[in-house]
Amino acid sequence: MSDFYQDGIITNFHNLTRRDLAELEYELQVFSGRNTMGLILPSLYSELEGPALDNIINTLAQVPYLEEIVIGLDRADRQQFEHAKAFFSRLPQRHRILWNDGPRLQAIAKQLGSEGLAPSEPGKGRNVWFCVGYTLASRRSSCVALHDCDIVTYDRQMLARLLYPVANPHFHYDFCKGYYARVANGKLNGRVGRLLVFPLLKSLQKVYGNSDFLEYLRSYRYPLSGEFAMRSHILNNLRIPSDWGLEIGVLSEIHRNTATNRICQVDIADNYDHKHQPVSENDPNGGLQRMAADITKALYRKLAIQGVNVTADSFRVLRATYYRTALDMIDAFEHDAKMNGLTFDRHSEESAVELFSNVISHAGQAFTENPGENKPFVPSWNRVQSAFPDILQRLYAAVEEDNA
């Protein structure tokens, strides 16, 4: 199903007919003869105790075309790691768990960190980075997907549609981003996307002028989705952000390295819901406030890299522009909700906008006052290998020993 109208500068694949799953998976099995497929799952140990991941693993156990599943496990002691091995053992596919807190991977991380070649802070970005390293070392997947482990509404169609554009040898796409409507329990979700990212991108264009990068980001229907797939050759030079700016940072890297006609996005779900972060009004280091700050700083950094003069004075203008733009968009969201019979809490929506407008100012102040702290990316594995030529073999051996 190809794009039938122009939404932006990247190709869109729409879920028009809800194609038969068996037919879709049969084609992917055929494609796997030329393009082997893998999956990366970054996970916290606590997610093993929730209903979402249990359903995801039961669902993945039925997927016939995956060559390998790489699971990054954070915040687990030895006993919990052993439990994780038993938990994931139901997967019939080849699968490996990266015990990120285990002594073998900690030793590798310490050596890389001594040379400034590894993430210094724990988090999703660090987890994904090591999973990417193992995927490169394994060499079993010519294209790989990634998604979160807290998707309550997970089904097989979601993964199949995500991988199809990059696995199909007759297509030319190197990167595919998943999108979906954020509606659950009778209301609109996706507050950071709707109330921060969309109006902020529009405001950045007004304040700093249009650019290919901003136009590119605005082409994504849901830039914060944690679901994407890519050809594995991209992984070597991919510099992954280590904070909540992961999704925006990955899109920035794809823009830097990949022609837009080799990028697409695909509608992967009619119904999507996952674990929701608290707003954390009084805690700038947690919840949506921390997420919003990391995303905002990631956008500032990218503009600065492109030569935009990002100054303290301009942040005051940006905040005012964002605030007005976001309030106007709330009107449209309210009308959309009413037309679809959804509840809409205007007070909480405007409260979130007020919080995000403060984040825009504080993130801008932090960005201009502490440029030495603005290290947006972990080095690519290509660079790491130049410093430690045997690093992938050592990482592979460590993971194999842990999983023995």
Side-chain angles (χ1 to χ4, degrees), residues 51-158:
L53 186 55
D54 189 60
N55 174 61
I56 288 171
I57 299 307
N58 285 337
T59 302
L60 288 175
Q62 305 171 50
V63 173
Y65 51 82
L66 284 176
E67 178 73 20
E68 180 176 65
I69 299 176
V70 177
I71 303 144
L73 183 66
D74 273 348
R75 301 183 189 176
D77 59 26
R78 180 170 292 279
Q79 182 178 359
Q80 290 168 331
F81 173 59
E82 294 299 328
H83 173 251
K85 287 199 288 186
F87 179 90
F88 291 108
S89 65
R90 76 189 93 162
L91 290 170
Q93 303 93 340
R94 183 186 192 275
H95 59 278
R96 293 294 184 270
I97 305 170
L98 273 70
W99 182 22
N100 292 318
D101 299 300
R104 292 186 177 94
L105 292 191
Q106 284 289 306
I108 291 175
K110 183 177 181 180
Q111 183 179 18
L112 295 179
S114 67
E115 299 294 329
L117 295 175
S120 58
E121 297 294 330
K124 181 181 176 182
R126 182 184 189 277
N127 193 337
V128 170
W129 188 77
F130 275 105
C131 288
V132 165
Y134 180 82
T135 300
L136 289 170
S138 177
R139 298 183 180 179
R140 286 179 168 83
S141 304
S142 58
C143 51
V144 62
L146 183 148
H147 64 66
D148 293 330
C149 291
D150 62 350
I151 306 170
V152 178
T153 52
Y154 189 79
D155 63 32
R156 285 158 65 181
Q157 182 108 203
M158 185 179 295

Side-chain angles (χ1 to χ4, degrees), residues 389-401:
D390 65 341
I391 189 62
L392 291 185
Q393 294 92 323
R394 289 168 52 203
L395 176 60
Y396 183 88
V399 173
E400 294 302 302
E401 288 181 45

Side-chain angles (χ1 to χ4, degrees), residues 200 204 208 213 248 293-306 308 310 314-315 318-319 356-357 359-368 374:
L200 180 57
L204 288 168
Y208 298 111
F213 174 65
I248 292 294
D294 288 346
I295 291 167
T296 303
K297 285 187 282 189
L299 288 170
Y300 295 161
R301 285 190 290 253
K302 182 61 179 180
L303 290 176
I305 289 170
Q306 293 187 332
V308 175
V310 181
S314 67
F315 289 126
L318 178 63
R319 174 180 176 172
F356 294 151
S357 66
V359 167
I360 287 171
S361 295
H362 295 154
Q365 183 178 0
F367 178 80
T368 54
N374 294 314

Side-chain angles (χ1 to χ4, degrees), residues 101-280:
D101 299 300
R104 292 186 177 94
L105 292 191
Q106 284 289 306
I108 291 175
K110 183 177 181 180
Q111 183 179 18
L112 295 179
S114 67
E115 299 294 329
L117 295 175
S120 58
E121 297 294 330
K124 181 181 176 182
R126 182 184 189 277
N127 193 337
V128 170
W129 188 77
F130 275 105
C131 288
V132 165
Y134 180 82
T135 300
L136 289 170
S138 177
R139 298 183 180 179
R140 286 179 168 83
S141 304
S142 58
C143 51
V144 62
L146 183 148
H147 64 66
D148 293 330
C149 291
D150 62 350
I151 306 170
V152 178
T153 52
Y154 189 79
D155 63 32
R156 285 158 65 181
Q157 182 108 203
M158 185 179 295
L159 179 62
R161 291 184 61 80
L162 188 64
L163 275 166
Y164 190 96
V166 295
N168 190 330
H170 305 295
F171 288 2
H172 59 268
Y173 301 104
D174 287 333
F175 179 81
C176 177
K177 178 80 163 175
Y179 72 88
Y180 33 77
R182 292 301 316 277
V183 178
N185 300 318
K187 64 184 180 68
L188 293 174
N189 289 324
R191 289 168 295 178
V192 179
R194 287 189 301 107
L195 302 178
L196 174 68
V197 175
F198 293 149
L200 180 57
L201 289 175
K202 194 172 183 179
S203 301
L204 288 168
Q205 285 182 312
K206 291 178 180 178
V207 173
Y208 298 111
N210 199 11
S211 67
D212 290 342
F213 174 65
L214 292 175
E215 189 67 26
Y216 159 79
L217 283 184
R218 290 193 66 195
S219 296
Y220 285 100
R221 293 189 166 197
Y222 193 50
L224 297 185
S225 70
E227 297 77 28
F228 49 86
M230 67 186 76
R231 298 283 176 95
S232 296
H233 69 82
I234 290 180
L235 295 175
N236 254 316
N237 290 310
L238 190 68
R239 298 179 301 167
I240 295 176
S242 58
D243 55 19
W244 281 105
L246 175 66
E247 286 76 21
I248 292 294
V250 167
L251 295 184
S252 300
E253 283 292 279
I254 296 301
H255 178 260
R256 185 177 68 91
N257 294 321
T258 309
T260 52
N261 66 352
R262 302 184 73 88
I263 301 170
C264 67
Q265 60 182 335
V266 61
D267 184 358
I268 60 174
D270 293 332
N271 180 33
Y272 182 99
D273 196 18
H274 69 164
K275 179 180 67 179
H276 300 283
Q277 293 285 340
V279 176
S280 300

